């Protein structure tokens, strides 16, 4: 029986990978942007000078590594599900080594069955790799290996700078365990690659990976919080309540994990421009705390019907996200054919000219068609223009001078920037329409006059 949690984890991992398999196609979103950037640097372009990248470089370098080996484009996305499954394995290890075999089996289930992990854990957006290193830092800290814990957390900034909010609870842990100098030393060493990159790439990296994000929160209106926060809180309510119970009345490890997870979530909610996948960051701590709560209730040797209710509770927490994930899997299978059809339409209308337009579609279409992107704009996130980092009037004028085929989704992405919307309407003709209902995109194909 002592090996049952490990065996159950393998079955869980296999089931989770089956659910995520359709995500390994080339789909709309941020992922094609990083794959296209990787392709471009292999062709000699330089990050931050020729390629706009609003993040540290590790995610593009690791994608380039896969492409340099001659693997299919979509294989570069495998880093993401591998990292997420690595987090689950580390959760199992933490609790198993702490003498909590039941909790070590429950925590990976709660984590992998979370709606956020099911939605974003296999997406190649960088947060999942940072989360793996932050979870490794937690595992090392619990083993009192504080120097290595700081090193792991520092290296996490190579993928996602906002993962730094997890440093706050870990600094408290180090102070409580009288290990702050060792943890700080490891953290400083882990940050050295970021310092070296800033020294090498200079002002362009500083502008794109740092100043850009500061501008987004200081010069743009905050997003409507409930649109992102309430769905997370409602979907995770039982999960969060169990973690809160651990933080309040749990054993020392449960209190530490619960309080750290809730503190990280509170810090996250202070960020004015949340993305849904940011909610991945506190989940390992919360899953560990919730699992310890359930294990402690079971260890109290309640009546058999109460034990049954505890089992139903665990399955109930996982059931709703899993049913949603099944529906999403079916929908995702229909997206790839839609994108193949759209790419063929674009290839026909472009006549070899470059592409430009919606940031969720253009990098994907460039990868599928082999067409270049006007001005090398692999990232046309509307926030580049709305934040003031890239002046929209001069930029769109330079784009139109190249006569690209423009992919426009009304009321989405660059179309929400008034100066760009007005210029495209005034200076372009509609040469085609597209509708991809499974991908939830419909729009226009424009040709500059």
């Amino acid at each position: 029986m002592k090996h049952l949690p490990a065996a159950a984890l393998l079955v869980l991992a296999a089931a989770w990978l089956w659910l995520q398999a359709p995500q390994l196609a080339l789909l709309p979103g941020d992922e094609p942007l990083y794959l296209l950037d990787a392709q471009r640097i292999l062709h000699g372009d330089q990050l931050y000078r020729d390629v706009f990248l609003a993040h540290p470089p590790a995610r593009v370098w690791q994608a380039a590594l896969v492409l340099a080996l001659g693997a299919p484009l979509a294989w570069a996305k495998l880093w993401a599900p591998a990292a997420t499954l690595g987090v689950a394995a580390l959760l199992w290890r933490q609790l198993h080594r702490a003498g909590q075999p039941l909790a070590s089996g429950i925590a990976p289930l709660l984590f992998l069955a979370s709606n956020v992990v099911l939605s974003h854990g296999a997406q190649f957006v960088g947060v999942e790799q940072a989360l793996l290193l932050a979870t490794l830092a937690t595992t090392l800290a619990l083993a009192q290996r504080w120097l290595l814990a700081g090193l792991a957390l520092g290296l996490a900034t190579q993928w996602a700078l906002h993962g730094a909010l997890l440093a706050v609870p870990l600094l408290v842990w180090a102070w409580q365990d009288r290990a702050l100098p060792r943890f700080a030393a490891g953290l400083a060493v882990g940050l050295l690659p970021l310092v070296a990159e800033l020294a090498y790439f200079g002002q362009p990296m500083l502008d794109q990976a740092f100043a850009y994000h500061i501008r987004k929160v200081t010069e743009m209106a905050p997003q409507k919080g409930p649109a992102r926060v309430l769905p997370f809180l409602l979907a995770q309510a039982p999960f969060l309540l169990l973690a809160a119970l651990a933080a309040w009345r749990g054993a020392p490890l449960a209190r530490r994990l619960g309080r750290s997870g809730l503190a990280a979530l509170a810090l996250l909610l202070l960020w004015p421009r949340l993305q849904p996948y940011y909610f991945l960051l506190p989940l390992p701590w919360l899953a560990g705390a919730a699992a310890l709560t359930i294990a402690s209730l079971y260890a109290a040797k309640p009546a058999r019907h109460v034990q049954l209710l505890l089992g139903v509770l665990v399955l109930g927490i996982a059931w709703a996200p899993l049913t949603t994930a099944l529906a999403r899997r079916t929908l995702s299978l229909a997206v790839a054919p839609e994108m193949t059809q759209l790419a063929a339409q674009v290839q026909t209308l472009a006549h070899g000219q470059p592409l430009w337009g919606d940031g969720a579609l253009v990098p994907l279409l460039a990868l599928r068609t082999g067409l270049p992107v006007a001005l090398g704009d692999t990232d046309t996130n509307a926030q580049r223009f709305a934040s003031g980092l890239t002046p929209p009037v001069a930029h769109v004028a330079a784009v139109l001078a190249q006569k690209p085929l423009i992919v426009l989704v009304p009321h989405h992405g660059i179309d929400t920037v008034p100066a760009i919307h007005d210029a495209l309407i005034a200076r372009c003709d509609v040469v085609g329409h597209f509708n991809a209902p499974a991908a939830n995109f419909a729009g226009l194909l424009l040709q500059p006059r």
Side-chain angles (χ1 to χ4, degrees):
M1 288 295 291
K2 65 180 181 180
H3 296 297
L4 180 60
L9 180 61
L10 292 175
V11 173
L12 177 63
W16 189 84
L17 282 173
W18 177 81
L19 279 170
Q20 302 298 336
Q23 296 287 334
L24 297 180
L26 290 176
L27 303 175
D30 289 344
E31 297 171 302
L33 185 159
Y34 307 126
L35 303 186
L36 184 58
D37 286 350
Q39 195 178 71
R40 289 182 60 190
I41 65 171
L42 288 175
H43 292 159
D45 288 345
Q46 183 173 318
L47 282 176
Y48 307 111
R49 185 192 67 190
D50 306 309
V51 177
F52 182 96
L53 180 65
H55 307 284
R59 67 184 74 182
V60 173
W61 285 343
Q62 69 185 123
L65 173 62
V66 175
L67 300 185
L69 295 174
L73 279 168
W75 285 26
K77 294 167 61 172
L78 289 172
W79 294 102
T84 299
L85 291 176
V87 172
L90 286 171
L91 275 173
W92 175 83
R93 179 174 175 81
Q94 287 172 17
L95 297 176
H96 197 72
R97 291 192 63 182
Q100 296 285 343
L102 180 59
S104 73
I106 295 172
L109 171 63
L110 294 179
F111 173 73
L112 291 176
S114 161
N115 65 324
V116 181
V117 176
L118 286 168
S119 298
H120 304 289
Q123 290 185 357
F124 184 59
V125 292
V127 177
E128 58 292 324
Q129 291 100 313
L131 188 61
L132 173 63
L133 285 167
T135 309
L136 176 61
T138 302
T139 304
L140 292 165
L142 290 173
Q144 296 300 305
R145 302 178 73 176
W146 283 103
L147 185 68
L148 291 175
L151 176 64
L153 190 63
L155 290 174
T157 59
Q158 287 291 296
W159 283 269
L161 291 174
H162 51 277
L165 70 86
L166 300 180
V168 177
L170 283 172
L171 283 166
V172 174
W173 288 23
W175 173 74
Q176 291 172 337
D177 292 357
R178 299 182 179 180
L180 193 54
R182 282 181 289 152
F183 180 67
L187 191 60
V189 174
L191 290 171
L192 285 178
L194 188 62
V195 174
E197 289 152 8
L198 283 168
Y200 177 77
F201 291 112
Q203 192 65 41
M205 180 180 175
L206 187 64
D207 288 341
Q208 293 169 36
F210 289 88
Y212 170 45
H213 297 283
I214 294 172
R215 286 187 178 209
K216 284 197 296 186
V217 298
T218 58
E219 299 185 23
M220 296 177 64
Q223 292 167 325
K224 295 179 180 178
R228 298 276 163 83
V229 176
L230 287 183
F232 171 78
L233 295 179
L234 291 174
Q236 301 293 156
F239 185 99
L240 295 173
L241 287 173
L242 288 167
L245 185 59
W248 176 43
R249 296 288 298 272
L253 178 58
R255 287 201 305 272
R256 174 169 276 193
L257 293 174
R259 291 171 182 177
S260 298
L262 293 173
L265 177 59
L267 291 171
L268 183 64
L269 294 179
L270 294 176
W271 192 254
R273 300 198 65 77
L274 281 173
Q275 297 297 329
Y277 50 81
Y278 289 6
F279 289 109
L280 287 168
L281 294 174
L283 281 185
W285 285 335
L286 294 170
L292 286 167
T293 297
I294 293 170
S296 67
L297 293 172
Y298 191 87
K301 297 181 179 179
R304 185 170 296 275
H305 70 277
V306 178
Q307 294 180 10
L308 180 62
L309 285 174
L310 288 172
V312 170
L313 174 63
V314 174
L315 293 176
I317 291 173
W319 182 252
L322 285 172
T323 55
T324 302
L326 280 169
R328 188 186 305 114
R329 185 184 193 279
T330 302
L331 194 64
S332 295
L333 288 170
V335 174
E338 288 182 344
M339 293 301 105
T340 299
Q341 181 178 352
L342 177 57
Q345 183 182 6
V346 164
Q347 186 92 58
T348 300
L349 292 173
H351 303 296
Q353 290 296 104
L355 306 177
W356 195 78
D358 192 87
L361 292 174
V362 167
L364 169 64
L365 294 169
L367 289 172
R368 283 179 170 268
T369 62
L371 294 169
V373 179
L375 299 186
D377 267 349
T378 49
D379 187 344
T380 54
N381 191 317
Q383 294 178 112
R384 274 184 65 186
F385 307 100
S387 67
L389 181 69
T390 303
V393 174
H395 194 83
V396 73
V399 166
L400 293 175
Q402 293 195 358
K403 303 294 184 182
L405 181 71
I406 295 170
V407 182
L408 191 69
V409 178
H411 314 297
H412 182 268
I414 57 165
D415 192 53
T416 63
V417 181
I420 293 177
H421 171 87
D422 293 345
L424 296 181
I425 294 301
R427 299 179 57 186
C428 297
D429 295 320
V430 177
V431 294
H433 297 79
F434 64 90
N435 185 24
N440 198 29
F441 283 105
L444 310 172
L445 300 172
L446 309 178
Q447 187 68 57
R449 298 189 190 96

